[in-house]
Amino acid sequence: MRPLSALGMAALGSGVIAITYGLARFVFGLFLPAMRDELSISSSMAGVIGALPFLSFVFAILAAPWVTQHLGVRRAGIAAAALAGIGLIMIALAPSSLLLAVGVLICGISTGLSSPAMAEAVSRVVPSRLRGRVNATINAGTSVGIALAMPAVLIWAEAWRSAYVGFAVLAALGALAAFLFLPRDDRPAQSSLPSLASLPVSREQWHAITRLSGLAAGMGCVSAAYWVFAPDAAIAAGGLGSSQTAWMWLAVGLGGLTGGSAGDLIARFGSVFSHAAGLVALSAGLVLLALAPGHFPLALASAALFGAGYMTLTGFYLVRGIEIMEEAPAFGPVLPLLATSVGQVAGSPLAGWLVGAEGHGTTFLLFAALGLAVAGLGSWLLKERVAADSRAPG
């Protein structure tokens, strides 16, 4: 079979990411209201379950480079899509909150495995001059997957089990595509990842990546409230219907497509402004939904602002991480993106507890205030340095 072209790799990779990130990880909140009604899940329990895919993602992405090296690109890609399918079908068939939680946990594992596998595949089949563009396109698959949930909700409305069966079918097709088109590993994969002890990185660079990761953890905590409870707020507090929350998730996905411009934003306006702008957009999305959960146009605006802010910020942490760890770019985004998930693990149960105790509006306003605090902290912690300064010996 002929090797994939750059366009083919972009299409396949974005499809796998749409399944593992968009459908298996981030769509959970959209169907949470119906799940809560059928399975009698409390707000606190919903927050704990919502944290599980972020938690399993942390462990999976740490293991993913080793898994990809030892299984090979094709098998790792198949495993990521297949695990997404297993988790999705478990959610669809779950008779209780316990099995629902197990399915959600497995979905998070698929997410952590997929990015390194797709990145390695790009390095194998795409010319070096096109890799940045192809990787950016693949990363945008998250927004595509989130947007795809909209027609699923419109078709199935309260029938969330049918929707998840459909998602599992898409995951099976993704695994089949990975089997057919990802490059074979006819030779042992050579790891390009050095050990942490041997990284050519100065003390100042470690300090810089640590500061960036701390900000990423704060952003992850803020975002968790929206990912898990925004549709629940629109329905329970605002009285909107399931079909209207589906349009909100489409707005999140479309707004998130702007995240592909994170690199240009940094180049033009600098790190401090770019980071603050993303967090202001994220917080504005939370505030709009807190103040007017039943106003459909404002709910759409809230979703678009949140999607734009979140995807811009994850792109920001990716780009800045690679810039900081210039001599070891493979490790650049690892710590910030891990920190984002750690923040989400903490933020999801906290949001669930606050929703149960204080309601959706107060919870979202408090998380928005935290977002603005992280923006202010970023203005102090993010230092504009020339590359030579960042590489100075520690």
Side-chain angles (χ1 to χ4, degrees), residues 24 83 86-88 90-91 98-108:
L83 283 169
I86 292 169
L88 290 165
M90 286 191 68
I91 292 172
L98 177 60
L99 288 181
L100 178 73
V102 173
V104 168
L105 189 76
I106 293 173
C107 284

Side-chain angles (χ1 to χ4, degrees), residues 8 12 44 61 104 174 177 223 292 296 307 318:
L12 174 60
S44 297
I61 200 170
V104 168
S223 71
F296 184 50
L318 176 76

Side-chain angles (χ1 to χ4, degrees), residues 34-352:
M35 293 175 181
R36 288 184 62 186
D37 289 342
E38 183 173 335
L39 300 177
S40 301
I41 301 172
S42 68
S43 296
S44 297
M45 178 59 70
V48 172
I49 294 174
L52 292 178
F54 304 119
L55 179 64
S56 57
F57 169 85
V58 170
F59 293 100
I61 200 170
L62 286 172
W66 182 89
V67 171
T68 301
Q69 178 187 355
H70 285 79
L71 290 184
V73 172
R74 174 176 290 190
R75 292 188 186 93
I78 294 169
L83 283 169
I86 292 169
L88 290 165
I89 201 66
M90 286 191 68
I91 292 172
L93 301 178
S96 66
S97 58
L98 177 60
L99 288 181
L100 178 73
V102 173
V104 168
L105 189 76
I106 293 173
C107 284
I109 296 172
S110 78
T111 307
L113 292 180
S114 60
S115 290
M118 293 305 103
E120 180 65 22
V122 168
S123 72
R124 296 279 186 92
V125 304
V126 177
S128 58
R129 71 181 186 281
L130 297 176
R131 286 175 189 166
R133 185 174 298 172
V134 170
N135 277 316
T137 302
I138 290 173
N139 187 59
T142 300
S143 292
V144 175
I146 292 168
L148 280 175
M150 187 273 285
V153 175
L154 291 181
I155 294 169
W156 286 296
E158 299 297 319
W160 57 274
R161 295 184 187 275
S162 298
Y164 270 86
V165 169
F167 297 159
V169 170
L170 290 177
L173 293 175
L176 177 61
F179 172 75
L180 292 175
F181 298 112
L182 284 179
R184 293 183 182 274
D185 293 279
D186 297 325
R187 55 182 173 78
Q190 298 297 317
S191 175
S192 60
L193 299 177
S195 67
L196 288 174
S198 64
L199 285 177
V201 178
S202 70
R203 182 182 304 170
E204 178 57 33
Q205 286 171 287
W206 282 120
H207 290 168
I209 201 71
T210 300
R211 290 193 295 268
L212 188 69
S213 299
L215 295 173
M219 187 281 288
C221 183
V222 173
S223 71
Y226 204 99
W227 282 126
V228 179
F229 289 104
D232 196 47
I235 292 173
L240 298 182
S242 297
S243 61
Q244 291 171 304
T245 60
W247 285 100
M248 285 177 60
W249 240 232
L250 176 65
V252 169
L254 294 179
L257 294 176
T258 62
S261 63
D264 294 334
L265 193 67
I266 295 171
R268 183 169 183 179
F269 296 106
S271 295
V272 172
F273 176 87
S274 302
H275 186 255
L279 278 159
V280 167
L282 200 73
S283 298
L286 286 160
V287 169
L288 274 181
L289 195 57
L291 297 180
H295 193 280
F296 184 50
L298 288 181
L300 289 179
S302 160
L305 281 168
F306 175 82
Y310 182 83
M311 295 302 173
T312 296
L313 286 165
T314 54
F316 173 88
Y317 298 131
L318 176 76
V319 171
R320 281 296 297 141
I322 292 172
E323 288 177 350
I324 291 169
M325 308 286 273
E326 186 176 359
E327 294 86 352
F331 281 92
V334 171
L335 288 178
L337 295 185
L338 278 176
T340 300
S341 284
V342 170
Q344 288 165 331
V345 170
S348 182
L350 174 61

